[in-house]
Amino acid sequence: EAGVAQSPRYKIIEKRQSVAFWCNPISGHATLYWYQQILGQGPKLLIQFQNNGVVDDSQLPKDRFSAERLKGVDSTLKIQPAKLEDSAVYLCASSSRADGYTFGSGTRLTVV
Amino acid sequence: GENVEQHPSTLSVQEGDSAVIKCTYSDSASNYFPWYKQELGKRPQLIIDIRSNVGEKKDQRIAVTLNKTAKHFSLHITETQPEDSAVYFCAARKGGSYIPTFGRGTSLIVHP
């Protein structure tokens, strides 16, 4: 189905390893968001991009998390090195004035 | 920033009963209140929303009410069905911003 595409769907890594997630937003959506959803909690915003610029990364743990959207379309979120508490679903979302706000299916990360 | 509280965290009802989920928000500048349904392993999907110039909105078996003075809003589901079982998230968003702040979610279980 057309929408926000994310990959991979699942990832299991050992602590201290690195991992990267990919997101392709809905075509034409200038705004892209990465959320972290820990089991039993609501999504927590990590970073917001407007085109290829960062609008809000105040809740991104910058010592280990990084994100980029170099061409203003797809985006990657990286964790290096991962900790056990990073286990969560990482949701990407995109929005436009016309379409509103749409989530991707997420990447479920398990850090062991 | 905005703080959204959601209650209860778990709600168990019999099929055919009504379910009510309540949220409060802290920022009086918030003017848009969406509700999302997240089925197990799937993305959050918008099911209904309400803006601050409206007190109530209904869509078939679901309705949302908003009390701006008290800064709380509620989701009402009537004639619940087993397929309503999911986690429901409320959110609040300020005008001019596309970033909603989410509640922690309510796990609704509808028993046949």
Side-chain angles (χ1 to χ4, degrees):
Chain A
E1 100 193 12
V4 178
Q6 286 190 249
S7 67
R9 287 298 308 273
Y10 306 94
K11 190 74 178 178
I12 301 174
I13 62 171
E14 294 182 349
K15 59 183 179 184
R16 291 187 288 274
Q17 285 188 322
S18 301
V19 65
F21 314 126
W22 175 82
C23 172
N24 192 19
I26 291 175
S27 178
H29 281 198
T31 313
L32 183 148
Y33 317 79
W34 283 102
Y35 281 86
Q36 180 192 57
Q37 187 177 22
I38 293 173
L39 186 65
Q41 298 183 19
K44 176 186 122 179
L45 179 71
L46 293 175
I47 189 167
Q48 178 194 1
F49 289 96
Q50 182 72 20
N51 296 307
N52 62 349
V54 175
V55 175
D56 183 351
D57 63 356
S58 57
Q59 297 195 86
L60 186 73
K62 298 181 186 63
D63 57 333
R64 298 183 300 106
F65 285 65
S66 64
E68 59 183 18
R69 195 186 183 198
L70 293 176
K71 297 183 179 179
V73 180
D74 55 347
S75 175
T76 55
L77 176 70
K78 296 179 182 178
I79 308 174
Q80 179 180 13
K83 293 184 176 181
L84 296 177
E85 57 262 36
D86 298 332
S87 295
V89 175
Y90 290 85
L91 291 163
C92 180
S94 68
S95 68
S96 72
R97 287 191 182 274
D99 299 335
Y101 203 86
T102 305
F103 282 97
S105 295
T107 296
R108 181 175 297 278
L109 173 67
T110 303
V111 183
V112 298
Chain B
E2 176 65 276
N3 182 46
V4 177
E5 299 286 339
Q6 183 171 349
H7 301 280
S9 57
T10 305
L11 180 59
S12 185
V13 300
Q14 288 297 127
E15 182 176 2
D17 287 351
S18 295
V20 180
I21 301 169
K22 298 182 179 181
C23 289
T24 60
Y25 61 100
S26 60
D27 193 335
S28 56
S30 290
N31 62 2
Y32 174 67
F33 306 92
W35 285 88
Y36 290 84
K37 176 183 180 182
Q38 187 174 27
E39 297 178 58
L40 190 64
K42 295 188 178 180
R43 73 191 74 188
Q45 293 197 305
L46 180 69
I47 55 170
I48 195 168
D49 55 16
I50 191 167
R51 298 186 184 277
S52 58
N53 58 348
V54 175
E56 183 174 356
K57 185 176 177 181
K58 191 172 181 180
D59 182 4
Q60 299 182 341
R61 295 187 298 107
I62 59 173
V64 58
T65 58
L66 171 65
N67 183 326
K68 284 174 55 180
T69 303
K71 290 193 283 205
H72 66 70
F73 55 113
S74 301
L75 178 72
H76 305 252
I77 306 174
T78 58
E79 299 172 32
T80 54
Q81 300 167 4
E83 51 265 38
D84 294 331
S85 296
V87 178
Y88 292 80
F89 293 98
C90 64
R93 194 192 78 189
K94 284 191 263 193
S97 164
Y98 293 110
I99 307 174
T101 299
F102 290 88
R104 292 176 68 91
T106 295
S107 177
L108 173 65
I109 303 165
V110 181
H111 298 281

